[in-house]
Amino acid sequence: MRFLKVTRWLAVFFAIALATACAFKQEADAKFGDQHFKTTIALVELYKLRHGSYPETLHDLTFTGDWDAIALNSVSYRRVGDGYELDIARGWVGQPTLTYPPEFWKGLGLVASNVGGAPAAPQQGK
């Protein structure tokens, strides 16, 4: 009987630990993903300001810091016409779910993203 009580207690403990770990992972993915996404936007927009056009690839960015490489390796970038598409691929260890309000996107050359609230991808042939 005592064995069953200990087993139940351990099962409850592990269930709580697992739920807490999942919540922590989701929160960490969101925080890191948010930082990676915004850092990349800042670097891409600064490049445009300095050079007059968006970079062809993220490798073209200049004057990046050592920590910027983490952000740049966590996104997917593609130049699209006079703008760019930027998708978040990784947060802390997984892919985060991010959403920003309409005001966030104003004034950016970002034309499409997998982030919530982003402009829709441009239609082919239009």
Side-chain angles (χ1 to χ4, degrees), residues 14 20 66 112:
F14 284 119
T20 303
D66 292 338

Side-chain angles (χ1 to χ4, degrees), residues 25-35 91-92 96-98 100:
K25 180 192 167 299
Q26 287 177 326
E27 186 175 328
D29 278 335
K31 288 203 180 285
F32 279 85
D34 175 69
Q35 186 64 53
W92 180 49
T97 302
L98 302 175
Y100 300 113

Side-chain angles (χ1 to χ4, degrees), residues 67-89:
W67 291 95
D68 294 332
I70 297 168
L72 298 175
N73 287 319
S74 299
V75 298
S76 172
Y77 171 88
R78 184 171 68 99
R79 184 168 168 185
V80 179
D82 291 335
Y84 61 97
E85 181 177 338
L86 186 66
D87 292 332
I88 187 71

Side-chain angles (χ1 to χ4, degrees), residues 52-70:
S53 64
Y54 290 107
E56 289 297 324
T57 71
L58 293 178
H59 297 291
D60 296 334
L61 294 173
T62 52
F63 306 108
T64 58
D66 292 338
W67 291 95
D68 294 332
I70 297 168

